[in-house]
Amino acid sequence: LPYIEEEDFFANNNKIIFVICLELMDKFNTIDLQAIKQLAIERNEIDKIGGFDYLLNLTESISLSSDFKTYLDILKDAHQKRRIIQFGRYCEDTATSNKFNGLELVGEIIKGLQSSIIEYGNAPIISPSQFLNKGTKAFHSMAGAKKISTGFGNLDNLIFMSYKELSSVIGRPSMGKSSIKCNLINNLCKNQFGVISIATEQTTETELIRHVASLTDIPVRDFYKVRKEEPDNLLFEKFNQIMNYIDKNWNFHLITNRNMTVSKMKQFIAQILLKFPIDIIFIDLFDKLIDVNVSESKADNVSVKLGEINKIAEEFNIHVCILAQANRELEKRKDKHPMMSDIKGSGAYEEISRIVLGIYRDRIYNPDVVDDIIECTVIKQNNGPSGSEVKAKFYFDVNTLLMQPIE
């Protein structure tokens, strides 16, 4: 989306509303009519924006549709035209001032032209005289950035999950990728993060049973007994209790669709974001997303899909975590811990994913080991430690899917 600033607006009241929205966003507050009104009152600017009636009329006159980008483009275009008009007046004033000779006048006009278009387009440009202001603001914003905590201290000590970024969790089947996702969602929602879970492989029932099992310590298999046996009233009671708890306490959204495309996923996300603030999205499994088929090469299609999902993270200011299968070739190695080369389309993952976690359970290959332990190895991280020795370990209960960190 185009980069929007306060000066892009012409009307002073719209500038004030924009600044208020930015302040609400920086505080990770919901941006709605009541929130804008309350902050405008606190800033003694409610009358300057035309009162609550103006806000109400403004929302009713705007269509929150797929044309949103068009409105932003119109806003930028109008601002640019105003700057060109100002530049034309500047040229007229300069030419008639007799302050410059011919060559000096050309130099001043060129300087004015550069000034009038210096920040037009989708990317902000910082030029001399702007570095102190904009550079410092950007650094302070980075320093005060809200971290998405996994809720597992041992993992949070190793990785930093940021907004507008993509991370990947990879492993062979049965290693526990979906169980890790389930435990992460439980932790995130308990800590008031907004979460969307997109399941491209499992059913709604399976996804919900996993959460209930890990939250109640009731084995997953017990829930599936209702298909064959007389319903257990206590089991239904526990299930309903957790559903009620999620309804009242979590900002959690579950989407199950085995025919999911990237464009369809983007539409779902946009619909949710109109009503709820979201911090992180999980996609399980990435491999099951329908290909865009831009090439006969599987690696090229993976690259395009990853690039589109990364754009979603940037445009919606969220973190996206994808779960993906590791190549079966690793089964032929003695050391079966996943490496970057084990990922299908690994070049794209290495380029686009900020964090890549490799999942390994020794019990899958050595059933006689005493403890069932999941290892999360930080295979790659742009701004932090990575390597085969950088890992977080968890005790894993395969019956309830519950994970306990090993500090």
Side-chain angles (χ1 to χ4, degrees):
L1 293 178
Y3 182 82
I4 301 299
E5 291 188 299
E6 178 184 355
E7 62 182 21
D8 289 320
F9 296 88
F10 176 72
N12 191 55
N13 55 348
N14 289 337
K15 290 182 179 181
I16 295 172
I17 293 170
F18 177 73
V19 171
I20 288 174
C21 289
L22 286 182
E23 186 172 334
L24 289 170
M25 186 174 67
D26 288 341
K27 294 177 179 178
F28 296 93
N29 292 333
T30 301
I31 301 176
D32 56 24
L33 277 177
Q34 290 301 326
I36 295 172
K37 174 186 174 183
Q38 185 59 39
L39 189 52
I41 292 173
E42 292 175 6
R43 293 163 57 108
N44 295 319
E45 292 181 319
I46 188 68
D47 292 333
K48 293 180 181 178
I49 63 176
F52 186 67
D53 287 343
Y54 178 79
L55 286 174
L56 194 59
N57 292 332
L58 193 63
T59 57
E60 291 176 350
S61 64
I62 295 175
S63 171
L64 293 176
S65 66
S66 57
D67 293 330
F68 184 62
K69 182 179 182 300
T70 302
Y71 298 142
L72 297 185
D73 288 336
I74 291 172
L75 182 70
K76 294 296 293 186
D77 185 63
H79 177 213
Q80 178 62 20
K81 288 176 179 176
R82 290 196 301 272
R83 296 186 71 161
I84 292 174
I85 291 170
Q86 292 172 352
F87 170 64
R89 292 169 179 166
Y90 167 81
C91 290
E92 182 181 4
D93 293 342
T94 302
T96 57
S97 66
N98 295 321
K99 292 181 180 179
F100 307 101
N101 61 32
L103 290 177
E104 290 174 339
L105 179 59
V106 171
E108 285 298 308
I109 290 176
I110 291 175
K111 188 190 301 182
L113 179 61
Q114 290 172 336
S115 174
S116 70
I117 64 173
I118 195 70
E119 294 183 33
Y120 184 56
N122 291 342
I125 300 174
I126 303 178
S127 298
S129 80
Q130 300 174 317
F131 281 95
L132 179 60
N133 182 23
K134 296 192 175 183
T136 303
K137 186 184 297 184
F139 182 71
H140 284 182
S141 176
M142 182 184 72
K146 183 182 178 184
K147 177 183 180 181
I148 300 176
S149 171
T150 67
F152 290 125
N154 58 343
L155 188 57
D156 285 333
N157 288 335
L158 300 178
I159 64 172
F160 189 97
M161 298 176 71
S162 301
Y163 293 84
K164 298 186 178 183
E165 291 185 353
L166 177 71
S167 63
S168 305
V169 177
I170 62 117
R172 292 294 295 148
S174 301
M175 284 294 164
K177 298 186 298 296
S178 294
S179 297
I180 289 173
K181 177 199 71 175
C182 177
N183 281 267
L184 289 176
I185 290 174
N186 291 349
N187 290 348
L188 288 160
C189 289
K190 287 177 183 177
N191 291 323
Q192 303 302 306
F193 287 97
V195 180
I196 298 176
S197 177
I198 299 174
T200 62
E201 185 176 44
Q202 302 298 339
T203 64
T204 300
E205 293 79 8
T206 297
E207 290 291 319
L208 292 178
I209 285 172
R210 287 173 173 174
H211 286 289
V212 175
S214 59
L215 289 168
T216 61
D217 222 21
I218 298 175
V220 170
R221 63 177 179 272
D222 287 3
F223 292 97
Y224 287 105
K225 289 180 181 178
V226 300
R227 293 176 175 174
K228 300 179 180 179
E229 303 175 3
E230 192 69 25
D232 184 332
N233 290 333
L234 180 61
L235 202 62
F236 274 98
E237 183 181 340
K238 285 289 187 182
F239 190 91
N240 290 339
Q241 283 177 356
I242 295 300
M243 293 300 101
N244 185 52
Y245 168 77
I246 290 175
D247 276 338
K248 292 183 176 180
N249 298 283
W250 287 11
N251 179 9
F252 176 52
H253 311 264
L254 175 62
I255 303 169
T256 53
N257 189 319
R258 291 179 177 174
N259 296 304
M260 183 68 75
T261 62
V262 175
S263 60
K264 189 183 297 182
M265 181 175 64
K266 188 172 181 179
Q267 291 174 10
F268 286 135
I269 295 168
Q271 290 173 12
I272 293 171
L273 282 168
L274 288 175
K275 296 182 179 180
F276 303 92
I278 297 299
D279 300 282
I280 184 168
I281 295 173
F282 291 90
I283 303 173
D284 179 13
L285 277 165
F286 172 77
D287 310 69
K288 297 294 183 178
L289 276 178
I290 295 176
D291 280 345
V292 289
N293 293 323
V294 297
S295 169
E296 294 182 1
S297 166
K298 181 71 174 178
D300 288 344
N301 287 328
V302 167
S303 179
V304 171
K305 284 194 293 185
L306 279 174
E308 290 300 310
I309 292 173
N310 192 49
K311 288 180 183 177
I312 289 175
E314 293 178 351
E315 288 181 14
F316 292 129
N317 190 32
I318 54 178
H319 186 94
V320 177
C321 179
I322 64 172
L323 281 65
Q325 299 280 26
N327 198 304
R328 64 172 60 93
E329 289 298 312
L330 72 79
E331 304 284 358
K332 301 176 182 179
R333 296 198 308 261
K334 183 177 180 180
D335 183 359
K336 295 178 173 56
H337 288 78
M339 300 186 298
M340 186 66 73
S341 57
D342 295 321
I343 314 174
K344 301 169 185 177
S346 58
Y349 282 88
E350 190 163 8
E351 178 183 353
I352 298 172
S353 286
R354 297 287 181 167
I355 300 170
V356 178
L357 297 178
I359 309 304
Y360 176 80
R361 280 176 65 203
D362 194 40
R363 180 169 281 188
I364 297 298
Y365 302 105
N366 301 293
D368 296 330
V369 296
V370 177
D371 294 318
D372 196 353
I373 294 176
I374 289 181
E375 297 180 17
C376 295
T377 303
V378 184
I379 298 176
K380 181 226 173 174
Q381 183 171 200
N382 278 23
N383 299 305
S386 63
S388 59
E389 299 303 317
V390 182
K391 62 181 67 176
K393 297 183 180 181
F394 304 85
Y395 291 117
F396 180 56
D397 185 338
V398 71
N399 295 311
T400 65
L401 309 183
L402 185 64
M403 293 169 52
Q404 298 288 347
I406 302 174
E407 302 293 348

